[in-house]
Amino acid sequence: MTAATRADSRAATPERILSLDRLAALSSDALRGLYARGSVPDDLTALAGRPKGRMLAVRGLEHGPAGRLLRSLARSPKFPWDGKSFFADSPDEGRGINRVNLVVRRFEWFPFTTRVEPSVLDGQPCVYLDYEQPGNPWFIARIRDEIREVAPDLYLGPAMWKRGRGRAAHLLWFAVDFGTPATP
Protein backbone atom coordinates (compact mmCIF):
# COMPACT_ATOMS: atom_id res chain seq x y z
CA MET A 1 0.00 0.00 0.00
CA THR A 2 1.47 3.38 -0.95
CA ALA A 3 1.53 6.42 1.33
CA ALA A 4 -1.17 8.10 -0.80
CA THR A 5 -3.38 5.00 -0.65
CA ARG A 6 -2.88 4.82 3.14
CA ALA A 7 -3.87 8.50 3.47
CA ASP A 8 -7.01 7.94 1.37
CA SER A 9 -8.03 4.87 3.39
CA ARG A 10 -7.46 6.67 6.71
CA ALA A 11 -9.75 9.52 5.68
CA ALA A 12 -12.60 7.05 5.15
CA THR A 13 -12.12 4.96 8.31
CA PRO A 14 -12.97 5.65 11.95
CA GLU A 15 -10.26 6.31 14.54
CA ARG A 16 -8.06 3.30 15.27
CA ILE A 17 -8.29 1.55 18.58
CA LEU A 18 -4.50 1.87 19.01
CA SER A 19 -2.37 4.98 18.51
CA LEU A 20 1.02 6.24 19.67
CA ASP A 21 -0.67 7.93 22.65
CA ARG A 22 -2.54 4.76 23.61
CA LEU A 23 0.56 2.61 23.27
CA ALA A 24 2.52 5.08 25.44
CA ALA A 25 0.01 4.56 28.26
CA LEU A 26 0.66 0.78 28.39
CA SER A 27 3.09 -1.02 30.70
CA SER A 28 6.13 -2.89 29.39
CA ASP A 29 4.33 -6.17 30.09
CA ALA A 30 1.27 -5.06 28.09
CA LEU A 31 3.51 -3.87 25.24
CA ARG A 32 5.30 -7.22 25.23
CA GLY A 33 1.98 -9.06 24.98
CA LEU A 34 0.84 -6.81 22.14
CA TYR A 35 4.17 -7.30 20.35
CA ALA A 36 3.84 -11.08 20.72
CA ARG A 37 0.47 -10.91 18.90
CA GLY A 38 1.78 -8.58 16.18
CA SER A 39 2.56 -9.57 12.61
CA VAL A 40 5.00 -8.80 9.82
CA PRO A 41 3.90 -7.61 6.39
CA ASP A 42 3.95 -10.13 3.55
CA ASP A 43 5.99 -7.63 1.55
CA LEU A 44 8.45 -5.11 3.02
CA THR A 45 7.40 -2.53 0.43
CA ALA A 46 4.52 -1.89 2.87
CA LEU A 47 7.08 -0.13 5.08
CA ALA A 48 7.95 2.61 2.59
CA GLY A 49 7.34 6.02 4.17
CA ARG A 50 8.16 8.49 6.93
CA PRO A 51 6.17 7.32 9.96
CA LYS A 52 6.04 9.37 13.14
CA GLY A 53 7.92 7.66 15.96
CA ARG A 54 7.60 7.63 19.72
CA MET A 55 9.64 6.16 22.54
CA LEU A 56 7.05 4.43 24.71
CA ALA A 57 8.59 2.93 27.84
CA VAL A 58 12.10 2.42 29.20
CA ARG A 59 12.33 -0.93 30.96
CA GLY A 60 12.84 -0.50 34.68
CA LEU A 61 11.88 3.19 34.58
CA GLU A 62 8.24 3.02 33.61
CA HIS A 63 6.81 3.71 37.08
CA GLY A 64 7.23 6.63 39.44
CA PRO A 65 8.54 10.12 38.72
CA ALA A 66 11.26 8.97 36.30
CA GLY A 67 8.77 7.05 34.17
CA ARG A 68 6.29 9.93 34.12
CA LEU A 69 9.07 12.36 33.14
CA LEU A 70 10.34 10.11 30.31
CA ARG A 71 6.82 9.58 28.93
CA SER A 72 6.16 13.32 29.06
CA LEU A 73 9.43 14.09 27.26
CA ALA A 74 8.79 11.43 24.60
CA ARG A 75 5.34 12.93 23.90
CA SER A 76 6.73 16.48 23.60
CA PRO A 77 7.31 18.02 20.15
CA LYS A 78 10.79 18.92 21.46
CA PHE A 79 11.79 15.26 21.89
CA PRO A 80 14.70 14.77 19.47
CA TRP A 81 13.73 11.44 17.89
CA ASP A 82 10.97 12.01 15.31
CA GLY A 83 10.84 8.52 13.83
CA LYS A 84 12.36 6.48 11.04
CA SER A 85 12.19 6.80 7.27
CA PHE A 86 11.80 3.51 5.39
CA PHE A 87 12.67 2.74 1.76
CA ALA A 88 11.73 -0.51 0.01
CA ASP A 89 14.44 -2.11 -2.12
CA SER A 90 12.50 -5.33 -2.78
CA PRO A 91 9.67 -7.31 -1.22
CA ASP A 92 12.24 -8.99 1.06
CA GLU A 93 14.66 -6.17 1.94
CA GLY A 94 14.70 -2.48 2.57
CA ARG A 95 16.62 0.23 4.29
CA GLY A 96 15.95 3.20 6.49
CA ILE A 97 17.35 5.97 8.61
CA ASN A 98 16.41 7.68 11.88
CA ARG A 99 15.13 11.26 11.90
CA VAL A 100 16.45 13.44 14.71
CA ASN A 101 15.32 17.02 15.33
CA LEU A 102 17.70 19.10 17.39
CA VAL A 103 17.04 22.67 18.41
CA VAL A 104 18.92 24.20 15.50
CA ARG A 105 18.66 21.57 12.78
CA ARG A 106 17.09 18.31 11.62
CA PHE A 107 19.28 15.31 10.87
CA GLU A 108 18.96 11.90 9.31
CA TRP A 109 21.30 9.67 11.28
CA PHE A 110 22.12 6.01 11.73
CA PRO A 111 21.06 4.08 8.63
CA PHE A 112 19.78 0.52 8.86
CA THR A 113 18.66 -2.27 6.57
CA THR A 114 15.45 -4.24 7.03
CA ARG A 115 14.62 -7.90 6.59
CA VAL A 116 12.36 -10.48 8.21
CA GLU A 117 14.02 -12.84 10.67
CA PRO A 118 13.23 -14.49 14.01
CA SER A 119 12.85 -12.16 16.98
CA VAL A 120 15.39 -12.36 19.77
CA LEU A 121 12.49 -11.98 22.22
CA ASP A 122 10.30 -14.89 21.15
CA GLY A 123 11.70 -16.54 18.02
CA GLN A 124 8.70 -15.52 15.89
CA PRO A 125 9.10 -13.50 12.67
CA CYS A 126 9.81 -9.79 13.02
CA VAL A 127 11.14 -7.01 10.84
CA TYR A 128 14.75 -6.63 11.97
CA LEU A 129 16.36 -3.20 11.67
CA ASP A 130 20.07 -3.92 11.24
CA TYR A 131 22.35 -1.04 12.27
CA GLU A 132 25.59 -2.83 11.42
CA GLN A 133 26.12 -0.49 8.47
CA PRO A 134 29.20 1.36 7.20
CA GLY A 135 29.55 4.74 8.88
CA ASN A 136 27.52 3.92 11.98
CA PRO A 137 29.47 4.26 15.25
CA TRP A 138 30.18 1.01 17.09
CA PHE A 139 27.60 1.76 19.78
CA ILE A 140 24.85 2.24 17.16
CA ALA A 141 25.86 -1.03 15.45
CA ARG A 142 25.20 -2.76 18.81
CA ILE A 143 21.52 -1.74 18.74
CA ARG A 144 18.94 -4.30 17.68
CA ASP A 145 15.52 -2.91 16.78
CA GLU A 146 12.62 -5.13 15.77
CA ILE A 147 9.09 -4.20 14.73
CA ARG A 148 5.73 -5.89 14.19
CA GLU A 149 2.43 -4.44 13.06
CA VAL A 150 -0.01 -4.26 16.00
CA ALA A 151 -2.75 -2.21 14.25
CA PRO A 152 -3.15 -0.99 10.69
CA ASP A 153 -0.03 1.08 9.84
CA LEU A 154 1.13 1.02 13.51
CA TYR A 155 4.33 -0.89 14.31
CA LEU A 156 5.62 -1.65 17.79
CA GLY A 157 9.08 -2.85 18.69
CA PRO A 158 11.74 -3.42 21.29
CA ALA A 159 15.05 -1.60 21.13
CA MET A 160 17.79 -3.86 22.46
CA TRP A 161 21.53 -3.90 23.12
CA LYS A 162 23.31 -6.82 21.43
CA ARG A 163 25.22 -9.00 23.87
CA GLY A 164 26.59 -11.57 21.45
CA ARG A 165 25.57 -15.01 20.13
CA GLY A 166 22.04 -13.99 19.28
CA ARG A 167 21.36 -12.50 22.71
CA ALA A 168 20.26 -8.97 23.44
CA ALA A 169 19.23 -6.94 26.49
CA HIS A 170 15.86 -5.29 26.06
CA LEU A 171 16.15 -1.56 26.81
CA LEU A 172 12.94 0.13 25.73
CA TRP A 173 9.77 0.00 23.62
CA PHE A 174 9.12 2.28 20.66
CA ALA A 175 6.54 2.57 17.90
CA VAL A 176 6.29 4.06 14.42
CA ASP A 177 2.95 5.15 13.00
CA PHE A 178 2.64 5.24 9.21
CA GLY A 179 -0.83 6.74 9.71
CA THR A 180 0.57 9.86 11.39
CA PRO A 181 2.62 12.23 9.27
CA ALA A 182 6.17 12.90 10.35
CA THR A 183 7.29 16.40 11.24
CA PRO A 184 7.82 18.25 7.93
Side-chain angles (χ1 to χ4, degrees):
M1 180 181 286
T2 67
T5 306
R6 277 198 296 268
D8 291 343
S9 69
R10 281 191 310 277
T13 59
E15 181 181 353
R16 289 183 293 173
I17 293 172
L18 286 176
S19 65
L20 291 175
D21 288 338
R22 290 182 176 143
L23 288 177
L26 298 175
S27 69
S28 284
D29 287 342
L31 292 168
R32 186 180 188 104
L34 193 57
Y35 181 73
R37 293 185 302 276
S39 62
V40 299
D42 294 331
D43 181 334
L44 291 185
T45 60
L47 295 179
R50 293 175 35 91
K52 177 69 177 161
R54 169 93 57 93
M55 180 185 72
L56 302 172
V58 177
R59 291 198 64 226
L61 293 178
E62 62 185 294
H63 303 291
R68 285 190 298 278
L69 177 64
L70 284 171
R71 286 176 195 256
S72 177
L73 288 172
R75 171 174 66 246
S76 166
K78 298 203 184 295
F79 191 74
W81 184 65
D82 187 49
K84 300 173 185 295
S85 296
F86 291 85
F87 310 93
D89 293 330
S90 75
D92 300 322
E93 294 182 340
R95 57 193 161 80
I97 195 159
N98 285 275
R99 297 187 314 275
V100 179
N101 296 328
L102 299 181
V103 175
V104 296
R105 190 166 166 216
R106 295 177 185 182
F107 297 90
E108 290 188 335
W109 277 337
F110 315 127
F112 54 86
T113 59
T114 58
R115 64 183 175 272
V116 174
E117 69 173 45
S119 169
V120 169
L121 289 183
D122 62 13
Q124 298 304 306
C126 72
V127 178
Y128 170 44
L129 284 58
D130 183 356
Y131 288 96
E132 290 186 41
Q133 305 302 314
N136 278 344
W138 69 270
F139 55 91
I140 296 299
R142 299 283 308 264
I143 294 171
R144 179 184 173 94
D145 285 352
E146 302 177 357
I147 57 173
R148 290 182 183 149
E149 190 173 30
V150 295
D153 296 327
L154 185 63
Y155 288 77
L156 170 65
M160 298 173 274
W161 183 258
K162 294 178 192 172
R163 300 170 76 184
R165 292 189 221 158
R167 297 179 326 154
H170 182 187
L171 303 174
L172 61 88
W173 290 100
F174 71 96
V176 290
D177 185 355
F178 284 88
T180 301
T183 304

